[in-house]
Amino acid sequence: MNSLEYWTATVEAYYRTFIARRDSQLRLLALSIMGVSLLAVAPASAQSSGTAFCQTNMAGTVRNLFTVIQFGGPLIGGVLTLGATVFMPIVRRADLKKELKEIRNQGFVWGVIVAPLGTSIIQFALNNIVVGGASYSF
């Protein structure tokens, strides 16, 4: 391969790389413009759909999901906490006792504290932040 062929191949490789980068940048720019336009249009189109959401099956499903979280979380967390507390004096191995203490603490934290608090936060967000959500309370 002589020097002219070498330089020609180098320039062609550089050109192909340049075109590929330019194409990927143009694709990224186009996707960004589409994303921003969707975000700009969504709040305007969502203003009238808040009250229509109240009559959908999805609203009932969300309400049922909140009910499961509100009552199921503390129930399961309480059962785990109580079970670990009752079973702890029976166990003799230190490593198993340590695991039972961890189960007891996690059951209490997630079941008794996080599940009801998380449901309240989600209810606040849907009722006060979502457009049209104030007309339908969960």
Side-chain angles (χ1 to χ4, degrees):
M1 177 183 279
N2 62 24
S3 65
L4 181 62
E5 291 174 347
Y6 171 76
W7 286 109
T8 305
T10 304
V11 169
E12 285 177 1
Y14 176 76
Y15 182 71
R16 274 182 265 154
T17 306
F18 175 76
I19 295 297
R21 285 184 185 160
R22 187 194 65 188
D23 289 347
S24 66
Q25 289 173 348
L26 287 174
R27 269 189 238 116
L28 181 63
L29 179 66
L31 286 172
S32 300
I33 290 172
M34 285 191 294
V36 168
S37 67
L38 284 175
L39 289 174
V41 171
S45 64
Q47 288 180 0
S48 63
S49 64
T51 55
F53 177 72
C54 298
Q55 283 78 31
T56 63
N57 289 335
M58 185 65 173
T61 303
V62 170
R63 184 184 313 122
N64 292 342
L65 182 65
F66 285 154
T67 305
V68 167
I69 292 172
Q70 271 181 321
F71 298 112
L75 180 67
I76 292 171
V79 167
L80 286 173
T81 303
L82 183 63
T85 303
V86 168
F87 194 60
M88 214 176 310
I90 301 171
V91 174
R92 300 184 88 180
R93 291 184 10 211
D95 59 336
L96 191 54
K97 275 193 180 195
K98 188 174 182 179
E99 287 181 25
L100 285 173
K101 285 180 184 178
E102 187 175 328
I103 290 171
R104 180 191 65 194
N105 294 339
Q106 290 296 319
F108 179 76
V109 167
W110 286 99
V112 179
I113 296 172
V114 174
L117 184 63
T119 304
S120 301
I121 291 170
I122 292 172
Q123 282 178 332
F124 172 78
L126 285 175
N127 291 334
N128 298 319
I129 297 172
V130 175
V131 176
S135 62
Y136 185 75
S137 63
F138 287 102

